[in-house]
Amino acid sequence: MHIKVLYFARIKEAVNYSTEDIQLPEDVQTITALKNFLSLRGDTWADLFNGKQTVRAAINHELVDNLATIKAGDEVAFFPPVTGG
Amino acid sequence: MRSVGQANIGALVSFVGQVRDINDGSLVNSLTLEHYPEMTEKALAKIEAEAKSRWDLIDTLIIHRVGTLHAQDQIVLVLVASAHRGDAFSACEFIMDYLKTSAPFWKKEATSHGERWVEAKLSDDVAKERWQE
């Protein structure tokens, strides 16, 4: 399935871009699976998504946990813990 | 805030957050705020709705700045109007505690030692958890 993925703050800086469209393999259906999928892209990605860093996720602008299910057409965002206010 | 001037408002509580000149021992020259626009709007609306469901409020307003700011600049405003002060004080604190931990803003500081992303604080998570008891 096809999804849009956004990156913010230090994660955006590390991967060097903010948005991409990804064609996911059929077995990638949760946030955990997507993190694992991305971590296979190389060292930078592995450092971000292998679970050592806290990376929060949102699907269609709602904060979700790692077990959340991804559907075709979703907008998934990855970012560090928030620091506003 | 449309309700300002309404005669049933007995309490108007405001919180203004300001940029500090020193953070974690370093002099901060400027602070740049990044955010996730579509999600920010929804997250703030959700926090206001949650506050209105917990307390008897007449109206609320949240303004959060983004982009580059300097020491003493105002970074966030929360206004809460209610009939009595108790609800307004509690709701204002609640809104700030939730904003700190669930609204998608990220601060990056420019200090004399270079740029650095501000780390999330455990104390902010603890402040939020007290509302979940």
Side-chain angles (χ1 to χ4, degrees):
Chain A
M1 70 183 154
H2 203 77
I3 61 164
K4 187 175 176 185
V5 182
L6 277 65
Y7 307 97
F8 290 93
R10 79 166 88 233
I11 296 174
K12 177 178 74 180
E13 286 184 354
V15 304
N16 230 352
Y17 51 87
S18 59
T19 308
E20 66 176 319
D21 290 306
I22 302 181
Q23 182 64 43
L24 290 181
E26 276 183 24
D27 58 337
V28 178
Q29 294 176 354
T30 63
I31 293 294
T32 298
L34 177 56
K35 285 179 172 176
N36 292 339
F37 175 75
L38 292 173
S39 69
L40 299 175
R41 286 175 162 181
D43 290 348
T44 302
W45 295 87
D47 287 345
L48 290 170
F49 293 106
N50 65 5
K52 286 182 189 150
Q53 288 195 37
T54 305
V55 174
R56 304 252 190 263
I59 298 178
N60 301 328
H61 316 125
E62 297 277 351
L63 271 177
V64 295
D65 60 29
N66 283 323
L67 300 175
T69 307
I70 302 166
K71 301 181 305 297
D74 278 352
E75 179 174 307
V76 179
F78 288 114
F79 43 80
V82 301
T83 57
Chain B
M1 204 172 194
R2 285 188 302 277
S3 52
V4 169
Q6 256 178 238
N8 59 343
I9 296 174
L12 186 59
V13 168
S14 66
F15 172 83
V16 176
Q18 262 192 191
V19 178
R20 275 193 316 272
D21 62 346
I22 290 180
N23 192 30
D24 286 338
S26 296
L27 198 61
V28 177
N29 298 322
S30 68
L31 188 66
T32 300
L33 274 132
E34 179 177 336
H35 76 134
Y36 179 3
E38 300 88 344
M39 184 173 167
T40 305
E41 295 290 329
K42 287 187 191 173
L44 296 182
K46 196 173 165 186
I47 294 168
E48 287 182 272
E50 179 67 25
K52 284 173 179 161
S53 75
R54 290 183 181 221
W55 292 281
D56 201 358
L57 307 178
I58 294 165
D59 209 353
T60 58
L61 176 72
I62 304 172
I63 296 176
H64 200 298
R65 294 177 73 187
V66 293
T68 300
L69 303 172
H70 299 89
Q72 298 185 65
D73 281 348
Q74 296 178 338
I75 181 167
V76 60
L77 169 73
V78 177
L79 277 183
V80 181
S82 63
H84 304 285
R85 73 182 186 285
D87 284 346
F89 274 127
S90 297
C92 191
E93 268 202 282
F94 170 90
I95 288 171
M96 270 311 296
D97 287 346
Y98 270 67
L99 187 155
K100 281 264 182 191
T101 48
S102 58
F105 294 98
W106 301 276
K107 290 186 186 122
K108 191 180 200 181
E109 296 172 337
T111 73
S112 38
H113 309 292
E115 293 194 326
R116 66 184 183 194
W117 288 101
V118 173
E119 298 292 337
K121 291 193 188 75
L122 186 63
S123 58
D124 287 333
D125 289 327
V126 173
K128 181 186 182 180
E129 277 164 20
R130 72 192 157 126
W131 301 106
Q132 291 162 351
E133 285 160 11

